[in-house]
Amino acid sequence: AQSVTQPDIHITVSEGASLELRCNYSYGATPYLFWYVQSPGQGLQLLLKYFSGDTLVQGIKGFEAEFKRSQSSFNLRKPSVHWSDAAEYFCAVGTFTSGTYKYIFGTGTRLKVLA
Amino acid sequence: DSGVTQTPKHLITATGQRVTLRCSPRSGDLSVYWYQQSLDQGLQFLIQYYNGEERAKGNILERFSAQQFPDLHSELNLSSLELGDSALYFCASSVSDYNEQFFGPGTRLTVL
């Protein structure tokens, strides 16, 4: 069955440091891939998405993600974290099974930023 | 602002009661999704409607039901409420299955 794994439940980084949030999926083909961010008390907002083409995807707020087929991964990165990036980050995949499209969210990674 | 609206913002009710949550999708979006988010279970997909028809079902309890109306707004009905139903309920919409979802601000349900 398809699945999405975000191995890190919590991550703490210092402001200005680089960030990488991991996302791995299990699916027989290349899924559609998404990263969302959820600030406290708010709904989820799309950061970036990958459907096909260039495996390095640029998103909003200075985020980027790289699709690595060989590792079934779609890790989110930011070169320099700002305090306002503290939030929960969700990876999601869209897959086709028996003609039905399924959209699966990971369990999320909560990011804490130290001043 | 995602363009998705949800009402009410907060809802406090008692066990055994029934409530209705409402969602208006972004203009032009035909798909509506409902999610439940709680501390212990994370973000759980409940159900999806596409242009008025049920499209996909997730972990939705039998006590819960939803529908999408001809004007594309959707309602999630929760009945025989239990303490464990306390959660944030999100609605999201998208143009089609394959596109990103735009989330509303959520309805916080508290069951006392």
Side-chain angles (χ1 to χ4, degrees):
Chain A
Q2 303 93 332
S3 64
V4 182
T5 302
Q6 292 181 247
D8 305 304
I9 298 174
H10 297 278
I11 281 189
T12 300
V13 300
S14 298
E15 192 169 20
S18 63
L19 172 70
E20 183 167 28
L21 302 183
R22 295 183 289 164
C23 173
N24 293 94
Y25 65 88
S26 172
Y27 181 56
T30 299
Y32 296 148
L33 295 158
F34 308 83
W35 273 100
Y36 289 83
V37 61
Q38 183 181 25
S39 298
Q42 298 189 22
L44 281 69
Q45 179 187 21
L46 181 74
L47 284 175
L48 46 77
K49 63 185 177 185
Y50 173 79
F51 285 2
S52 65
D54 192 346
T55 56
L56 186 62
V57 180
Q58 302 297 321
I60 62 170
K61 305 186 182 193
F63 285 92
E64 66 178 26
E66 186 171 13
F67 167 59
K68 292 187 177 179
R69 186 191 310 273
S70 61
Q71 297 175 18
S72 298
S73 70
F74 188 55
N75 294 349
L76 182 70
R77 301 195 295 246
K78 187 167 185 178
S80 177
V81 169
H82 188 261
W83 63 267
S84 60
D85 293 324
E88 188 151 22
Y89 292 81
F90 293 90
C91 179
V93 301
T95 66
F96 287 93
T97 302
S98 304
T100 301
Y101 184 76
K102 289 181 80 172
Y103 206 98
I104 307 168
F105 279 89
T107 51
T109 297
R110 188 171 294 279
L111 173 66
K112 183 175 178 180
V113 180
L114 301 176
Chain B
D1 184 358
S2 66
V4 178
T5 60
Q6 288 187 249
T7 56
K9 199 172 173 70
H10 301 277
L11 200 48
I12 301 174
T13 187
T15 53
Q17 294 298 306
R18 173 190 168 95
V19 297
T20 297
L21 312 184
R22 184 190 166 100
C23 168
S24 292
R26 285 189 330 153
S27 176
D29 284 358
L30 298 179
S31 264
V32 170
Y33 308 78
W34 286 99
Y35 293 89
Q36 180 193 58
Q37 187 178 40
S38 60
L39 281 174
D40 55 342
Q41 302 232 345
L43 190 65
Q44 299 281 320
F45 166 66
L46 297 178
I47 197 164
Q48 177 200 357
Y49 278 82
Y50 180 83
N51 204 19
E53 300 287 326
E54 183 182 303
R55 183 78 142 194
K57 224 168 185 174
N59 302 323
I60 188 165
L61 300 171
E62 284 191 14
R63 300 183 284 109
F64 296 0
S65 65
Q67 54 184 326
Q68 186 180 28
F69 296 88
D71 67 352
L72 301 178
H73 91 271
S74 178
E75 291 180 357
L76 178 67
N77 300 295
L78 315 176
S79 61
S80 302
L81 284 167
E82 302 175 0
L83 296 177
D85 297 327
S86 295
L88 258 175
Y89 290 84
F90 287 106
C91 166
S93 73
S94 68
V95 170
S96 70
D97 286 347
Y98 324 116
N99 292 87
E100 65 265 33
Q101 296 180 20
F102 293 84
F103 281 74
T107 293
R108 182 171 292 282
L109 173 66
T110 303
V111 183
L112 301 174

